[in-house]
Amino acid sequence: MIKSAAAGLGFFILCGPAFADEAALKAQAADLVARYAQALKTALGGAMEKDGPMGALDVCRSAAPKIAADLSTSSGWSVARTSLKPRNAASAPDDYERKVMESFNARIAQGEKDGDLVSAKIVEDHGGKVFRFIKAIPTGEVCLTCHGENVSPELKQKISQLYPNDQATGFRVGDMRGAFTLKKPLGTSTP
Ligand code: HEC
């Protein structure tokens, strides 16, 4: 009993600060994601109401990358979205993002809710350490207009003009549409 408590304390002393840093990074990332999601929701909702889906398409095209760029500049993080079936080829995942999203899909198949799926880890990247935070984006009803199984022919035509390699249709409510993906470099590790 005493022995295991002492071992536990040793573990805490060795690993405590790293955990604390990781918890702080995770909280920062979660806050950035909340701000990003809120800004997207406001931009998309406003445009759908004012201009309908055809106008909202242009807003998604220009506003979404700008919101991500502004958040990245002001926070020092890299803030973006990705998907296993991207619309914009620039949002295609790297190997790490692909693996995390595949594991999310496996968990959804086991009955977990996609709104709760988060991965937060410090990983090695080109000799440096990087904190990576990935949070699943669920498909909601409003998303189906542009990402669902029955996108109107008019909208479909415009989407394929703008995104000739679009893969982001055929989604249903409850599917993971993609993920928020955040990165923060933590400096180089000593070899
Ligand atoms: C009015 C049409 C429209 C609606 C509605 C819409 N999107 Fe999109 N979505 C787009 C367009 C256009 C892009 C490509 C933006 C770009 O060029 O970066 C996109 C891109 C994305 C991406 C980035 C990855 C990729 O595929 O390029 C995600 C994730 C995404 N949408 C999720 C959603 C979710 C979740 C909803 C519902 C809450 C939604 N979208 C509703 C048009 C729409």
Side-chain angles (χ1 to χ4, degrees), residues 41-66:
K41 198 174 167 187
T42 306
L44 179 67
M48 288 284 268
E49 212 167 279
K50 198 167 143 270
D51 308 313
M54 291 294 273
L57 199 71
D58 291 324
V59 173
C60 283
R61 186 172 165 79
S62 53
K66 184 170 184 317

Side-chain angles (χ1 to χ4, degrees), residues 36 40-41 44 48 52-62 64-65 81-92 137-147 155 159 162-163 166-168 171 177-180:
Y36 188 15
L40 283 171
K41 198 174 167 187
L44 179 67
M48 288 284 268
M54 291 294 273
L57 199 71
D58 291 324
V59 173
C60 283
R61 186 172 165 79
S62 53
R81 291 184 302 173
T82 185
S83 175
L84 291 169
K85 289 171 66 183
R87 171 149 296 165
N88 188 335
S91 298
I137 304 175
T139 305
E141 199 74 43
V142 62
C143 320
L144 300 182
T145 313
C146 300
H147 295 298
L155 208 51
I159 291 171
L162 295 172
Y163 305 96
D166 178 40
Q167 299 179 53
F171 287 90
R177 169 60 190 87
F180 292 109

